[in-house]
Amino acid sequence: MGKERELVETVIKGIQEKKGQKIVVANLQGIEGAICSYFVICQGNSPMQVEAIYDSVEEFMRVEKNEKPAHVVGLENALWVAMDYTDVMVHIFVPDTRNYYNLENLWQDAVLEEIPDLD
């Protein structure tokens, strides 16, 4: 497993820790013009849950991988928080905002992997 994929797995653990839902991993490797290797997209039911998922991902990445995001946007209203880990971009949405932007279809050549929700 490559370093980028290990980061993705750690991000998923952080999302699942706060019961983030509908996780999709978009593999952008080999796609010309892609800004990173992976998008990890998920949702929380409210801005409060989106912020909790953000905090969890940040902590898992810091503790397990000694990684900090290069850039974070969206915490002001927490409808869409983007975390930039250079090779891995994490997008945490509330459902309406996720549906509106539809990131899964932005990179149509990407291989999409759906991660089952935890009960």
Side-chain angles (χ1 to χ4, degrees), residues 4-102:
E4 291 95 354
R5 188 63 203 198
E6 288 179 15
L7 296 178
V8 167
E9 296 300 323
T10 303
V11 166
I12 291 169
K13 285 196 279 186
I15 293 167
Q16 290 176 331
E17 176 72 17
K18 295 301 179 185
K19 300 198 179 351
Q21 298 174 320
K22 298 186 178 175
I23 302 169
V24 174
V25 178
N27 185 338
L28 306 175
Q29 294 177 317
I31 297 177
E32 193 172 325
I35 58 173
C36 62
S37 297
Y38 291 95
F39 271 8
V40 181
I41 306 162
C42 72
Q43 67 189 47
N45 291 320
S46 67
M48 187 180 297
Q49 187 182 13
V50 166
E51 198 168 321
I53 294 167
Y54 158 81
D55 287 338
S56 181
V57 168
E58 191 276 332
E59 182 176 350
F60 269 80
M61 289 291 276
R62 182 174 41 82
V63 171
E64 291 191 10
K65 297 297 178 188
N66 198 30
E67 293 276 349
K68 292 182 178 177
H71 199 64
V72 175
V73 294
L75 279 174
E76 305 77 36
N77 58 19
L79 298 176
W80 173 10
V81 174
M83 306 172 75
D84 180 355
Y85 285 99
T86 308
D87 291 323
V88 177
M89 291 281 297
V90 183
H91 300 274
I92 311 164
F93 289 98
V94 294
D96 287 348
T97 306
R98 182 179 186 169
N99 291 338
Y100 178 79
Y101 286 101
N102 197 10

